[in-house]
């Protein structure tokens, strides 16, 4: 039975409406005024609220605003005095489903209530269906038009239910973490934790204690016991990102864990058994590192039981526009640009560009474009400059080309170099889709140096 909350500050109207709606087999709760309604809403859920607009104390519009912000899944119909169309329209803008003018005709009121309840039911069903689909086939989040990406999805479905260790290879921003999450979401461990650790982000000692935990007194500053990621995963999945940055000492500990399904906390002699599936990712080919003695070959074979490679975006052009549309849809949700569309020229520019920062760069480019789009058509001129430039004929990629007017500016050599350096740093940052860590890595400088050189960039 649908539950209706009835709000009015006139007891006579409340009682008449209550009787009418109860006769139609609705479960009706009357509330005398807006404040009373709020009190009831704190304790109970309703499918529909029918409220007068003009009330003493809290007005119907205030109540509507509050409900729309704080309560989902409840449709709202407003009752308004004959002739006050403007307030009624304001109510619709504030999220009311519809309004009924007083004095109302019984048929009209009941029809509106019925329509509103059907609408609410459809929305709830749709939501439930969507969450079901999401948990069952998390792959719907992955756009895969190209054969290469479809292949990846096929692999995800096949390997997810197994407990195999998987090495996900791909350039920065290609979707490695997304794939790792999809593997977890499609595995039998999906209700357990998914824990990610970026091996490049922590210094050796911290990474070790983060992964394996430590006991009190294991090193200076270890004032209490700490449970590591492997232990706290408890049947879940651990995603070791940028595994190429893992120091050799930790590599051997990880290898032991993979062989024996046991670890020891730093500073402890006790073995703790571990149940965690290990997924890893790298944007550096590990084979070269093995040759240089920086990565253990035996660990590599353990980790890459099944290697899964994501191709750079420029090699799967079919994915570019579907991905762009996916990001547009994601960004415009709840804004006034609901029907934003790429025009032909913008589409062409996106397809031609080489996407050094891959999907992440595309996602940022779409955000950029939507910020500068004033209407529903996304034109080429609102795309980031580098994309416009590379799409125009005859453009040669030359990241540090010398501006012929620099000499005329009369800059000192130091300032000239700083100027160029800034431009180059910005270009690399853009190429990395705004990811400062990735940019610093590409430039072979530390993150701290990167921030020092670009003081106006937000940390
Ligand atoms: N095929 C895809 N479909 C939908 N979204 C995608 C796809 N590939 C990547 N993305 C999105 O692009 C962004 C970057 O992806 P992700 O973080 O997984 O990349 P990554 O390879 O881990 O990057 P990095 O190497 O920089 O850590 C995320 O927002 C992700 O959701
Ligand atoms: Mg990542």
């Amino acid at each position: 039975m649908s539950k209706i909350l009835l709000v009015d500050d006139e007891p006579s109207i409340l009682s008449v409406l209550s009787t009418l709606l109860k006769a139609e087999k609705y479960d009706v709760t009357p509330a005398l005024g807006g404040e009373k309604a709020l009190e009831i809403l704190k304790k109970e859920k309703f499918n529909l609220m029918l409220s007068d607009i003009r009330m003493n104390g809290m007005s119907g519009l205030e109540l509507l605003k509050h409900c729309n912000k704080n309560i989902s899944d409840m449709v709202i119909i407003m009752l308004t005095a004959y002739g006050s169309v403007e307030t009624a329209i304001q109510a619709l803008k504030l999220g009311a489903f519809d309004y009924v003018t007083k004095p109302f005709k019984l048929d009209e009121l009941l029809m509106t209530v019925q329509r509103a309840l059907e609408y609410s039911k459809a929305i709830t069903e749709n939501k439930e269906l969507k969450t079901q689909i999401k948990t069952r086939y998390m792959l719907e989040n992955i756009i895969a038009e190209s054969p290469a990406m479809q292949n990846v999805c096929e692999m995800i479905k096949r390997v997810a239910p197994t407990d195999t260790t998987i090495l996900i290879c791909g350039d920065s921003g290609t979707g490695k973490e997304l794939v790792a999450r999809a593997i977890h979401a499609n595995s039998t461990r999906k209700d357990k934790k998914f824990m990610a650790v970026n091996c490049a982000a922590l210094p050796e000692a911290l990474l070790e204690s983060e992964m394996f935990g430590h006991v009190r007194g294991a090193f200076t500053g270890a004032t209490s016991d700490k449970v590591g990621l492997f232990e706290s995963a408890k049947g879940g999945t651990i995603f070791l990102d940028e595994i190429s940055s893992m120091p050799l000492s930790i590599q051997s500990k990880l290898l032991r864990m993979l062989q024996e399904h046991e670890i020891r906390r730093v500073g402890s002699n006790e073995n703790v058994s571990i149940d965690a599936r290990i997924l890893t990712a790298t944007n550096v080919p590990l084979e070269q590192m093995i040759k240089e003695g920086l990565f253990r070959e035996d660990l590599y074979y353990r980790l890459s039981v099944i290697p899964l490679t994501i191709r750079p975006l420029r090699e799967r052009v079919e994915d570019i526009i579907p991905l762009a549309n996916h990001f547009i849809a994601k960004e415009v949700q709840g804004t006034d640009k609901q029907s934003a569309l790429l025009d032909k020229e913008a589409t062409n520019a996106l397809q031609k560009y080489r996407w050094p920062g891959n999907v992440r760069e595309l996602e940022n480019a779409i955000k950029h474009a939507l910020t500068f789009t004033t209407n529903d058509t996304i034109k080429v001129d609102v795309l980031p400059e580098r994309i416009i430039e590379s799409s125009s004929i005859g453009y040669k990629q030359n990241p540090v080309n010398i501006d012929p007017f620099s000499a005329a500016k009369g800059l000192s050599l130091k300032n000239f170099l700083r100027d160029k350096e800034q431009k180059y740093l910005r270009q690399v940052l853009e190429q990395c889709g705004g990811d400062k860590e990735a940019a610093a890595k590409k430039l072979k400088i530390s993150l701290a140096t990167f921030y020092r050189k670009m003081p106006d960039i937000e940390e």
Side-chain angles (χ1 to χ4, degrees):
M1 203 194 284
S2 297
K3 288 180 70 181
I4 300 180
L5 179 64
L6 205 55
V7 194
D8 205 306
D9 59 346
E10 274 186 52
S12 59
I13 295 197
L14 270 189
S15 122
V16 171
L17 272 176
S18 258
T19 316
L20 288 175
L21 291 168
K22 277 181 185 161
E24 295 295 318
K25 304 268 178 284
Y26 292 118
D27 175 356
V28 185
T29 306
L32 193 63
E35 288 84 357
K36 183 75 194 164
L38 281 188
E39 223 175 89
I40 299 175
L41 281 166
K42 272 190 199 142
K43 293 181 222 138
E44 255 184 271
K45 280 191 94 175
F46 294 86
N47 304 98
L48 185 143
M49 179 173 84
L50 187 61
S51 167
D52 192 16
I53 290 191
R54 202 180 297 163
M55 293 188 286
N56 286 325
M58 178 183 249
S59 80
L61 289 183
E62 280 172 70
L63 177 64
L64 169 64
K65 251 194 241 170
H66 174 89
C67 292
N68 215 21
K69 210 166 119 201
N70 301 299
I71 303 169
S72 58
D73 300 341
M74 178 175 80
V75 270
I76 300 169
I77 299 174
M78 304 303 283
L79 289 172
T80 153
Y82 177 73
S84 53
V85 181
E86 264 171 38
T87 343
I89 290 176
Q90 208 182 337
L92 293 184
K93 281 192 183 154
L94 287 172
F97 173 78
D98 207 344
Y99 63 90
V100 176
T101 38
K102 284 199 289 193
F104 50 76
K105 292 191 195 98
L106 181 60
D107 286 3
E108 191 195 344
L109 177 75
L110 290 178
M111 280 263 282
T112 313
V113 167
Q114 206 181 341
R115 258 191 318 119
L117 287 170
E118 270 164 19
Y119 168 79
S120 138
K121 203 171 142 213
I123 295 276
T124 324
E125 278 174 4
N126 195 357
K127 261 194 202 158
E128 278 169 7
L129 207 67
K130 270 198 180 145
T131 47
Q132 265 177 24
I133 292 174
K134 258 198 192 127
T135 41
R136 239 188 306 153
Y137 315 101
M138 252 282 285
L139 296 189
E140 71 162 349
N141 292 337
I142 303 184
I143 304 292
E145 289 292 323
S146 63
M149 208 55 208
Q150 281 175 6
N151 217 354
V152 169
C153 289
E154 208 38 58
M155 283 287 274
I156 294 174
K157 278 191 228 155
R158 229 178 290 161
V159 300
T162 69
D163 249 352
T164 329
T165 313
I166 293 164
L167 175 67
I168 307 165
C169 309
D171 289 350
S172 184
T174 45
K176 296 183 295 296
E177 180 153 353
L178 182 73
V179 165
R181 286 182 186 276
I183 293 175
H184 172 74
N186 285 279
S187 74
T188 52
R189 296 172 178 263
K190 65 173 184 294
D191 298 322
K192 304 278 169 56
K193 290 184 195 164
F194 174 91
M195 302 174 97
V197 60
N198 184 336
C199 303
L202 298 172
E204 182 166 345
L206 270 184
L207 178 63
E208 184 173 13
S209 105
E210 187 70 23
M211 287 171 61
F212 303 99
H214 62 242
V215 291
R216 189 170 160 214
F219 46 84
T220 337
T223 48
S224 58
D225 287 1
K226 178 186 158 84
V227 179
L229 276 181
F230 289 127
E231 264 182 87
S232 54
K234 291 199 185 96
T237 304
I238 296 206
F239 175 51
L240 301 171
D241 202 358
E242 301 211 35
I243 187 89
S244 61
S245 301
M246 183 178 275
L248 281 163
S249 66
I250 303 185
Q251 288 179 30
S252 46
K253 281 197 153 190
L254 176 62
L255 181 65
R256 202 171 330 123
M257 185 246 128
L258 288 168
Q259 283 164 344
E260 285 152 32
H261 303 282
E262 276 183 352
I263 56 139
R264 267 182 202 185
R265 290 189 191 178
V266 178
S268 163
N269 293 324
E270 248 175 72
N271 291 332
V272 185
S273 65
I274 296 296
D275 172 20
R277 180 190 200 167
I278 309 292
L279 302 177
T280 56
T282 179
N283 53 16
V284 183
L286 294 177
E287 293 84 348
Q288 185 55 33
M289 295 192 61
I290 294 171
K291 274 190 206 141
E292 291 168 17
L294 297 170
F295 205 88
R296 291 183 67 126
E297 194 168 12
D298 43 6
L299 177 62
Y300 171 73
Y301 287 117
R302 278 261 166 192
L303 292 177
S304 59
V305 175
I306 297 182
L308 214 160
T309 303
I310 313 178
R311 306 303 314 159
L313 187 55
R314 65 179 162 277
E315 290 179 20
R316 39 187 175 102
V317 180
E318 302 96 314
D319 289 338
I320 296 176
I321 300 307
L323 274 169
N325 288 331
H326 168 75
F327 294 132
I328 292 172
K330 205 163 120 189
E331 282 298 309
V332 298
Q333 253 178 30
T335 72
D336 56 349
K337 292 176 189 161
Q338 297 283 346
S339 44
L341 278 178
L342 290 162
D343 79 354
K344 213 169 150 202
E345 219 183 328
T347 306
N348 264 334
L350 294 179
Q351 283 171 327
K352 269 191 194 168
Y353 184 61
R354 287 187 57 75
W355 300 109
N358 294 294
V359 187
R360 176 169 297 112
E361 187 184 7
L362 174 59
E363 187 173 13
N364 289 335
I366 294 296
K367 281 187 192 155
H368 178 282
L370 285 170
T371 313
F372 293 104
T373 298
T374 45
N375 55 26
D376 277 345
T377 312
I378 304 177
K379 295 208 168 99
V380 71
D381 58 358
V382 294
L383 292 173
E385 199 135 332
R386 62 190 184 280
I387 300 172
I388 307 175
E389 280 177 2
S390 77
S391 79
S392 45
I393 302 156
Y395 171 76
K396 289 197 186 76
Q397 259 184 333
N398 180 5
V400 269
N401 59 347
I402 303 296
D403 165 9
F405 298 108
S406 292
K409 282 194 219 158
L411 294 174
S412 68
L413 181 60
K414 194 169 150 200
N415 285 343
F416 169 77
L417 291 175
R418 184 178 302 154
D419 192 10
K420 289 292 146 204
E421 189 183 62
Q422 284 273 321
K423 280 191 183 140
Y424 185 50
L425 288 167
R426 267 173 212 290
Q427 252 171 359
V428 174
L429 181 63
E430 277 195 71
Q431 282 174 357
C432 294
D435 182 338
K436 287 152 223 152
E437 273 185 20
K441 208 166 165 194
K442 202 162 195 171
L443 292 158
K444 299 203 166 49
I445 56 177
S446 71
L447 192 57
T449 311
F450 185 85
Y451 280 127
R452 193 160 35 74
K453 286 183 181 291
M454 301 200 66
D456 54 343
I457 289 267
E458 266 179 35
E459 280 197 37

